[in-house]
Amino acid sequence: MSLFENAIWLLAVLPVFSGMISLLMPSPRRVLASIAAGMLVITGIDLWVVARVFLKGTISSNNAWFRLDALSAYHLAVMMIVFLMSSFYACSYFRNEPAALRLNHFLARKFSAIWHGALAAMTLVLISNNIGVMWVGVEATTLLTAFLICLHISAVSLEATWKYLIVCSVGVAFAFMGVLLLAASTGNLAAGSTILQWTHLQSISATLDPRLVKLSFIFLLVGYGTKAGLAPMHSWLPDAHSQAPAPVSAIFSGFMLNMALYCIMRHLPIAARAQGNSLWANNLLVFFGLASILIAAVFILSQHDLKRLLAYHSVEHIGIIALGLGLGPLGVFAALFHTLNHSLCKTLGFFSAGRIGQIYGSHDMRSIKGTLRVDPLWGGGLFGSLLALIGVAPFAVFMSELIILKAAADARQYYAIILFLAGAGIVFVGALRHAIDMAWGNKPEGVAAPSSRLIERLIVILPLAALLLIGVWMPACFRNALELAAAIVTGGRP
């Protein structure tokens, strides 16, 4: 047994150590370089533990307070891919900031401390077997990441920060009520430290008070759904994404939203079994998923700001994942597949939007023209990520959305198919128009891009290559990982 198999909590401590080391660096450039180097080490260790879970089974430690099964291991892998790419990208992004916005030593150390703190909190959410500790981790991410939105202080960034704090805090308070109601549904509040353990609750879910479980799931869905950006609780998301620096927007959209949905996934099998395996919780997810897709489609049509456009794509794709979760085992499989696809293309999308914004001096899409001629690398990255986001074949997003449609047909949810296709069609037309207008057209006078480095080329090429590869061929080990994770969400239903 390795050290991490006996003490999984060390996975959440690793970012803290890495953050402390980066604080000792003597210059902003070295602080950012140490973040990237530290993230490389953490990713290697985390992926090794993830591989251990998929090869040999669930890891549990500290009297089952911490646990890593296929579902949490899959999300841990996605999270580390997003953080690793974003950490290397941050070195390039902040180096190319205008002089007035360039990080000084204090701001670089502040960024490093919060960046690593956010990673530690998100890791805690994933490895915790206690739904109370899981809630604490989610609340910690809210408090920490708020300060990343206003890293560059301005009136609009402060407004976005306060909006994020207030809306998400209310949401997390709803989730807290859900946790309390779920504990009360056991009818044995004096049961001790195991009462909030997810494994314990799942094992006794058939004996829980169904009325309290139903009420708790509604609170949890609204609470964590607010953090995930599900409509109509998504009001914080466009402002926060548009005002945060691009690396921060990437981790917000690339994983933080997934983390909140992960919390809902943990409660779904408990709620279903407590209701005698009825589909009422699934139907709620279908409703919020479709609402998110349709509301996002309307706003995507009228957007002029590039980062706000990507933010509404986040609302749309979180809705697609929620829709898949509500459609049974095949839908859950597709939703987890879509989670990785969305994380890859949205992370690349925000990377490209950040660099394009620096080159053009604006995120206004009406003034961004000819990106493929101005900077083929980042212009191509933006165009490719937008094509992937709207589900153009053979990108993997097309495949995961196709499987979700198959799941809807199998479940005879024909109205869901019609509304999903209507929303996706509107998004396709609206976003493709934006993508073509930015990629081609007459470039503004005086706009020029600096030469790109090898790491920047890798950051663009690798995600696009991965999205194409898993769009045409899904490796057996990846399919097996998705099936194991999906079985946990469905409570073992085939």
Side-chain angles (χ1 to χ4, degrees), residues 249-290:
S249 301
I251 63 162
F252 270 40
S253 187
F255 189 73
M256 194 178 73
L257 308 183
N258 296 337
M259 176 202 68
L261 272 186
Y262 164 83
C263 296
I264 295 172
M265 290 181 207
R266 279 292 175 196
H267 291 88
L268 185 59
I270 297 173
R273 196 173 178 206
Q275 302 298 320
N277 292 321
S278 76
L279 297 177
W280 74 270
N282 298 67
N283 291 335
L284 276 179
L285 284 166
V286 169
F287 170 77
F288 279 105
L290 290 173

Side-chain angles (χ1 to χ4, degrees), residues 430-454:
L432 186 60
R433 176 174 58 86
H434 290 309
I436 292 174
D437 287 347
M438 288 187 289
W440 285 279
N442 297 322
K443 69 173 187 177
E445 291 293 331
V447 174
S451 58
S452 55
R453 297 185 171 190
L454 175 61

Side-chain angles (χ1 to χ4, degrees), residues 93 306 351-364 368:
Y93 176 82
L306 177 54
F351 289 171
S352 304
R355 289 292 292 119
I356 293 291
Q358 289 175 330
I359 293 167
Y360 283 78
S362 170
H363 291 117
D364 190 333
I368 299 175

Side-chain angles (χ1 to χ4, degrees), residues 36-352:
M39 211 56 66
L40 194 60
V41 174
I42 296 170
T43 301
I45 294 172
D46 283 8
L47 292 184
W48 177 77
V49 177
V50 167
R52 160 66 179 80
V53 170
F54 284 115
L55 290 173
K56 298 185 178 180
T58 299
I59 299 173
S60 179
S61 71
N62 300 87
N63 295 321
W65 274 75
F66 299 99
R67 188 171 184 270
L68 205 60
D69 59 16
L71 182 62
S72 48
Y74 176 72
H75 282 83
L76 183 63
V78 174
M79 179 181 74
M80 291 316 304
I81 291 170
V82 172
F83 262 93
L84 180 64
M85 291 197 303
S86 302
S87 298
F88 276 96
Y89 170 76
C91 299
S92 165
Y93 176 82
F94 287 118
R95 188 182 64 249
N96 287 290
E97 280 281 73
L101 296 178
R102 204 160 292 166
L103 294 186
N104 57 32
H105 198 190
F106 170 76
L107 281 179
R109 294 167 74 181
K110 174 183 172 183
F111 174 77
S112 173
I114 301 173
W115 187 261
H116 286 96
L119 176 60
M122 292 183 201
T123 306
L124 179 64
V125 171
L126 297 181
I127 65 174
S128 175
N129 187 36
N130 184 296
I131 61 172
V133 177
M134 181 188 293
W135 177 88
V136 170
V138 173
E139 174 66 0
T141 63
T142 303
L143 298 176
L144 286 166
T145 54
F147 295 99
L148 289 174
I149 298 172
C150 60
L151 190 68
H152 299 311
I153 294 177
S154 66
V156 285
S157 70
L158 286 174
E159 180 184 346
T161 301
W162 279 112
K163 193 172 184 178
Y164 169 70
L165 268 175
I166 292 170
V167 175
C168 286
S169 294
V170 171
V172 173
F174 268 74
F176 183 64
M177 288 298 299
V179 171
L180 294 181
L181 287 167
L182 187 55
S185 72
T186 64
N188 185 16
L189 292 175
S193 61
T194 63
I195 191 172
L196 291 179
Q197 285 190 355
W198 179 81
T199 45
H200 173 68
L201 288 167
Q202 191 190 34
S203 67
I204 63 168
S205 52
T207 65
L208 299 177
D209 184 329
R211 292 168 300 177
L212 286 177
V213 172
K214 183 177 283 189
L215 192 57
S216 78
F217 188 78
I218 292 171
F219 272 94
L220 289 162
L221 180 57
V222 172
Y224 289 134
T226 302
K227 182 83 173 178
L230 282 174
M233 297 87 73
H234 67 288
S235 59
W236 64 272
L237 198 147
D239 291 340
H241 280 48
S242 62
Q243 294 306 313
V248 177
S249 301
I251 63 162
F252 270 40
S253 187
F255 189 73
M256 194 178 73
L257 308 183
N258 296 337
M259 176 202 68
L261 272 186
Y262 164 83
C263 296
I264 295 172
M265 290 181 207
R266 279 292 175 196
H267 291 88
L268 185 59
I270 297 173
R273 196 173 178 206
Q275 302 298 320
N277 292 321
S278 76
L279 297 177
W280 74 270
N282 298 67
N283 291 335
L284 276 179
L285 284 166
V286 169
F287 170 77
F288 279 105
L290 290 173
S292 300
I293 294 167
L294 293 171
I295 290 174
V298 173
F299 282 96
I300 283 172
L301 280 178
S302 59
Q303 284 309 302
H304 297 301
D305 185 280
L306 177 54
K307 292 182 74 178
R308 291 182 74 88
L309 173 76
L310 293 173
Y312 280 108
H313 273 296
S314 295
V315 177
E316 178 212 359
H317 283 274
I318 289 298
I320 293 172
I321 296 170
L323 173 63
L325 291 174
L327 292 174
L330 182 60
V332 174
F333 174 89
L336 291 172
F337 184 23
H338 199 81
T339 296
L340 174 64
N341 300 337
H342 172 247
S343 293
L344 287 176
C345 59
K346 187 54 68 57
T347 302
L348 175 59
F350 273 113
F351 289 171
S352 304

Side-chain angles (χ1 to χ4, degrees), residues 402-460:
L402 192 63
I403 301 173
I404 287 175
L405 284 173
K406 172 73 167 52
D410 290 348
R412 299 179 184 273
Q413 298 260 21
Y414 300 119
Y415 74 93
I417 294 175
I418 294 170
L419 293 176
F420 177 32
L421 288 176
I426 294 171
V427 170
F428 187 92
V429 173
L432 186 60
R433 176 174 58 86
H434 290 309
I436 292 174
D437 287 347
M438 288 187 289
W440 285 279
N442 297 322
K443 69 173 187 177
E445 291 293 331
V447 174
S451 58
S452 55
R453 297 185 171 190
L454 175 61
I455 189 64
E456 293 176 313
R457 290 195 285 272
L458 291 175
I459 284 173
V460 173

